[in-house]
Structures are given as structure tokens and as C-alpha cells.
Amino acid sequence: MKPVSIAIIGGGTAGWMAANLFAKKWADKNVVISLVESPDIGIIGVGEGSTPTLKRFFEILEVSEREWMPACNATYKLNIRFKDWSPQSGIESYSHPFTSQVDTFTSRSFHVNTQTRRLGLDTHVVPEDFFINGVLAKQGKGPVTPENFPFKMEYGYHFDSGLLCQFLAKFAADKGVNHIQANVLEATRHQNGDIASVITKEQGEISADFFVDCTGFNALLMEKTLGVEFKSYKDNLFNDSAVVMPTPIDEMIPVETLATALSAGWVWKIPLTNRYGNGYVYSSDFISSDQAETEFRRHLNAIDSDEMCNHLQMKVGCLVKHWAHNCLSIGLSQGFIEPLEATALHLVQLSLEMFIEQFEKGGFSNQYQAQYNQFTAERFERVRDYIVAHYKMNTRNDSDYWRANRDNTHLSDSLIQLLNVWFNREDLTQEILRQNLQSHFDTSSWHCLLAGYGAFPPLADNQPNRGDLYRDNNIAQFLQGCALNFQSHATHLQFK
């Protein structure tokens, strides 16, 4: 094949993920990869979480956890715990564990129990009790299995995003990626509309056959140069701001992200090996930045702390096209669906894997651009629906923010149908299969959310004998037995 030059404009986690995946997948192709990154734009090293797709990312690169996790102050993540999202249900918190092979034997019982509970019958519907990662999180154990454990475990990570960028940048450079430090001023175009080059302050003009826009919310290439329309999710998701600061880590490091609801949004608490990363995600329509910082500090018991807060703005939504002309958008430049459920890097990786497949399949041309755009748009919208459901289903009455979220009628047809099926006591799993949603958030994820919020009718007056108790006790014994094979989180983080 003839040489193909790809210029990734912008670094950050998304840019360096793209550079590394391209270099790995096309190592035997005549592809030259460059990444142009401003030396003047720093990265705020907030604590960030992932889904299990990041585990697959490092497996593709053949990078062991021993190599990258200590370098990024990373910890294991088995679970997301949601606290104070549905107080009227009587549920203080619930967990959304990542599912593993072990759960094949237990998740069906959870689904059956939720169906039984929707009929008004008393049964056990605590999500984390039916999944191995939920049990391990309660026990403070890590997910690394002994060699004789027969099931594959799935899990994510918590990490310092700034340190991860540094690690990935060095790894990519070692694999032949050309790292150019320069400030991009503008882009030029060919007569057919394709991008021809970028003009930089320090390195002059940089040309390429294909460009990847990783310039963040600025979207220099896709929006400002190519004029691709941005579709806001403001009507669906109200949050547009965040305030972040670290706090000291505990002696026992959790294996879960904690998401706690406050008056106008929610706070993440992400454990790293050296500190907690904390951030209050909120809507500026309901609270000012000063009010948010005060509430945030009060929540952290840090009113008098000398630690400075960083304030961030978010642009929630996505482009109507993620691949236009000879340019692909990845990361914040393509869209963002707020930090809840840690979907940002999940969408980055899925987008990159699909692009690599379609670009190579089409002979490094735009042949499959339309199919790619359809795939990516569907991914963003279905992930958005799952996030919207967290707000729609809340039972808080302490602020206009939560009441407005609960009263929000800007829901997709897909989400409306899912909620109708649930409240009409129909088969949610079959509806997810009918809509082909299982590759986004699967049936267990939806059951965790709706059961976790206590979205059930009142219990019937007359209750039959609890025939589920024997089965649920067996499940508990099975998962507790599996958990005996695992060691503490602290042991796993020693990397001896």
C-alpha cells in the first residue's frame, strides 16, 4: 500500500490512546503517525475512572498492570456506588458492579427477583449481592485471580489522568509515533473541502493525508474548520460545570467509585494510591460556582482547607458526524456525556476500534464513513439514555434541580419504552434484546439501576411464603465461596 500519514492534533488521554492503538494495529502497514500537542496547555491530573474497556486497551497494547498502574497511581475499580439518589425509596445507596463470567450463574436470579418484586411480592433485590464484583467490593478485595480460578474477571481502574497521559506519550514515542510540540493556530483546506494542513506557531505548516481532532471542547478541526454541527444534550442532561479538589487517601483503599448526590448535582470520590480525587458535577442554572464550591467543601469537611479548587466547564452533547472529510474526532472534540458511569474513555476506545476496522477495511479511505458515523451516533445516544435515567428516576425533593430532573420529559423513544416495560411489569431483558441495546448497557446494568432506585410498587397486603430464600442463600454461599479465592485490594496493589 502507498504511505498514509496521520496527524493527531491534540494530546490528552484520547489523543495518546489513538496514537498507541494506531501504532499497534498498523505496525505492519505503511502508516506514519504524528501527534501535535501544545506545550502550553497543561493537563489537570484529576482522579478518573474507567470501565473494563480500559483493561482491553492495555491488553491490546500488551502492557501489563505491573508496568502502568504504579506509574499512574492507579487502583482497581469493581463497582460504582450511588449514595442518596433515591431517599424516598428508603434505599441509602446501591451499587452497579461490572459483570464477570461468574455472574452467569447468579444474574438471572437477580432479574427474576426484580420481576417478582414488580408484582408486589417481597423478595431480595439488592444488586451487589448477585454479582461477584459487588461481593468483593464489600470485602475490600481486589479482582486479580489465582491461576486456578476458572472464570474471567472484568473490572476497571481509577487513575491519575495526567500521569496516564505521560505514560502513554512515552509508550507511543517508543513505538515510533512522532511527537511534535507546537501550538496550532489554524487549519488549511483543499479545494474538495478536506483538511490539507495545520499551521503551527513553532513548526510552521504540518501536512497529512488524514487528521484526528483531539483538541477537546474547542474542536478546532471538526467544528471550527469543517463546520460540523454540535448537538447539545442540554435538554436531557442539565449538568455543565464541575469543581474538583483532592483529599487524603484512607489506609484502606476502596475498590469502587462513590457517587453522592448533593443539592444541584453529584460528587465523585475516586481512590488513587496517593489521594482521593473528588469532583462536584453540577448545573450552573441551579447553583453558582461559589455556592457549588462551598457545598463541595462542606461535603468533604474541607471548609478551612488550604487546598485550592479547580473549576471546569463541560460541553455536554456530541457532533452530528464524528468522521467528516479526512478528519476523525475523538474524545471531548467528538462529544461528552458527563462523568457519571465513567463513559468518556469507554466511548473513546469503542470509537477508535470501530474506526480502525472501517478505515482499514475501506483501504484507508472514506468508503465506510457513513457506517461509522451511524455506529458512533447510536453509541452516544444510548449511553446518554442510561445516564438520563439516573436523573429521571431520582426521588429527592430537597431542591428545584432534582425536581426538574424528575419532571423532565425530554426523553428518547428508546428510554420511554424501557421505562414503560419496567413499570408495566413486562420483560425488560426481552425489550433490551428487541432494541439491540445489550452492547451499550446490558440488561444487568438496567436492572441494577432500576432496582437500586427502588422503582417498585408497594408490597401487596398478602404475601406468600418466601420461596426465593433458599435459592438466594445458595447464591450468597456460591459468591462468598468464590470470594475466598481473592486477596485484599492492598495486596494486589503491591505488584511484587
Side-chain angles (χ1 to χ4, degrees):
M1 58 174 283
K2 67 178 183 178
V4 176
S5 57
I6 299 177
I8 302 167
I9 309 303
T13 310
W16 287 114
M17 286 181 70
N20 277 287
L21 285 176
F22 293 167
K24 179 66 175 181
K25 292 289 189 177
W26 294 326
D28 60 343
K29 302 290 191 297
N30 200 359
V31 177
V32 179
I33 304 162
S34 300
L35 187 146
V36 183
E37 182 178 40
S38 170
D40 300 329
I41 300 176
I43 297 172
I44 298 175
V46 300
E48 189 167 346
S50 82
T51 67
T53 51
L54 191 63
K55 180 171 175 279
R56 187 172 74 239
F57 170 78
F58 282 108
E59 288 171 350
I60 292 170
L61 296 187
E62 300 179 272
V63 175
S64 71
E65 292 174 348
R66 184 186 305 274
E67 292 177 76
W68 80 268
M69 287 184 67
C72 301
N73 295 333
T75 64
Y76 291 103
K77 175 185 174 184
L78 309 185
N79 213 33
I80 304 174
R81 177 169 293 277
F82 295 86
K83 186 174 184 290
D84 296 336
W85 289 69
S86 186
Q88 296 302 310
S89 70
I91 298 173
E92 180 183 356
S93 69
Y94 81 94
S95 289
H96 177 199
F98 297 127
T99 55
S100 294
Q101 280 186 333
V102 176
D103 304 323
T104 303
F105 303 101
T106 58
S107 58
R108 176 60 182 163
S109 295
F110 174 53
H111 304 161
V112 170
N113 281 12
T114 62
Q115 175 66 38
T116 302
R117 180 63 188 82
R118 281 185 282 152
L119 296 174
L121 304 180
D122 192 12
T123 186
H124 188 62
V125 289
V126 177
E128 55 265 40
D129 291 348
F130 293 86
F131 299 90
I132 184 62
N133 278 333
V135 172
L136 293 176
K138 282 185 177 181
Q139 298 181 8
K141 290 185 173 181
V144 180
T145 59
E147 291 184 3
N148 63 345
F149 193 73
F151 304 107
K152 182 179 180 181
M153 293 292 294
E154 296 293 346
Y155 51 85
Y157 306 96
H158 306 110
F159 53 89
D160 183 312
S161 56
L163 294 178
L164 181 61
C165 286
Q166 293 176 25
F167 179 91
L168 293 178
K170 183 180 184 305
F171 192 83
D174 291 343
K175 298 299 180 182
V177 173
N178 184 24
H179 186 192
I180 303 171
Q181 292 193 319
N183 288 285
V184 176
L185 302 176
E186 61 179 339
T188 67
R189 302 177 71 176
H190 292 296
Q191 287 187 347
N192 66 355
D194 285 355
I195 295 175
S197 65
V198 292
I199 308 300
T200 70
K201 180 180 178 181
E202 295 83 359
Q203 301 291 334
E205 186 173 21
I206 299 173
S207 302
D209 299 313
F210 196 91
F211 291 83
V212 181
D213 188 343
C214 293
T215 60
F217 290 134
N218 188 38
L220 174 65
L221 302 184
M222 291 295 281
E223 287 192 67
K224 294 187 175 179
T225 301
L226 296 179
V228 176
E229 179 186 350
F230 179 82
K231 178 181 179 182
S232 173
Y233 288 163
K234 181 70 172 177
D235 289 342
N236 309 109
L237 295 167
F238 300 160
N239 294 341
D240 58 7
S241 304
V243 53
V244 302
M245 71 175 286
T247 54
I249 192 65
D250 295 322
E251 183 178 352
M252 297 294 292
I253 301 176
V255 287
E256 63 183 14
T257 297
L258 179 62
T260 304
L262 295 187
S263 71
W266 62 278
V267 169
W268 76 69
K269 186 177 184 180
I270 290 178
L272 308 181
T273 57
N274 63 325
R275 61 178 170 83
Y276 281 109
N278 309 280
Y280 183 11
V281 182
Y282 64 92
S283 170
S284 62
D285 289 338
F286 292 85
I287 193 172
S288 71
S289 59
D290 288 342
Q291 290 171 325
E293 179 173 336
T294 299
E295 184 182 13
F296 179 47
R297 286 182 177 274
R298 186 177 298 115
H299 171 74
L300 296 177
N301 294 318
I303 286 290
D304 298 323
S305 171
D306 293 331
E307 189 74 47
M308 296 293 292
C309 285
N310 284 310
H311 288 263
L312 311 171
Q313 279 71 52
M314 303 184 304
K315 182 180 173 184
V316 177
C318 71
L319 298 176
V320 297
K321 290 182 180 180
H322 299 253
W323 178 0
H325 289 277
N326 63 333
C327 186
L328 175 76
S329 58
I330 288 293
L332 297 179
S333 65
Q334 69 177 141
F336 184 61
I337 311 178
E338 76 150 75
L340 197 65
E341 293 284 355
T343 59
L345 296 189
H346 173 80
L347 289 168
V348 165
Q349 184 165 341
L350 294 180
S351 298
L352 285 169
E353 289 175 345
M354 177 57 71
F355 171 74
I356 288 168
E357 176 185 319
Q358 299 296 330
F359 197 46
E360 184 173 346
K361 180 181 175 182
F364 295 88
S365 73
N366 288 5
Q367 181 177 352
Y368 295 103
Q369 186 182 83
Q371 291 90 328
Y372 173 85
N373 282 329
Q374 181 179 1
F375 165 86
T376 312
E378 179 71 10
R379 285 280 180 175
F380 266 78
E381 292 192 3
R382 299 292 75 81
V383 168
R384 176 206 58 193
D385 286 348
Y386 189 69
I387 304 305
V388 168
H390 289 71
Y391 295 97
K392 177 66 177 176
M393 300 304 299
N394 89 84
T395 63
R396 294 177 65 101
N397 286 309
D398 59 314
S399 68
D400 290 339
Y401 169 86
W402 289 106
R403 286 186 287 270
N405 271 288
R406 189 164 56 252
D407 295 340
N408 186 15
T409 58
H410 294 281
L411 309 178
S412 72
D413 291 341
S414 172
L415 178 55
I416 290 171
Q417 184 59 24
L418 286 172
L419 295 179
N420 284 340
V421 165
W422 177 267
F423 287 109
N424 288 330
R425 307 172 184 179
E426 298 170 10
D427 192 328
L428 184 64
T429 298
Q430 286 302 311
E431 178 60 21
I432 288 170
L433 291 173
R434 187 189 71 80
Q435 292 194 36
N436 195 28
L437 302 179
Q438 61 273 19
S439 60
H440 305 288
F441 282 95
D442 65 12
T443 183
S444 289
S445 291
W446 279 100
H447 279 85
C448 284
L449 191 161
L450 294 166
Y453 277 69
F456 298 113
L459 290 171
D461 292 334
N462 296 318
Q463 294 289 321
N465 293 328
R466 290 284 301 275
D468 63 305
L469 291 177
Y470 176 76
R471 182 192 65 219
D472 290 351
N473 285 335
N474 285 342
I475 289 173
Q477 291 175 11
F478 170 71
L479 291 176
Q480 293 291 340
C482 288
L484 293 174
N485 292 278
F486 296 81
Q487 295 179 303
S488 71
H489 190 204
T491 300
H492 289 315
L493 293 176
Q494 292 174 5
F495 294 105
K496 292 181 179 179

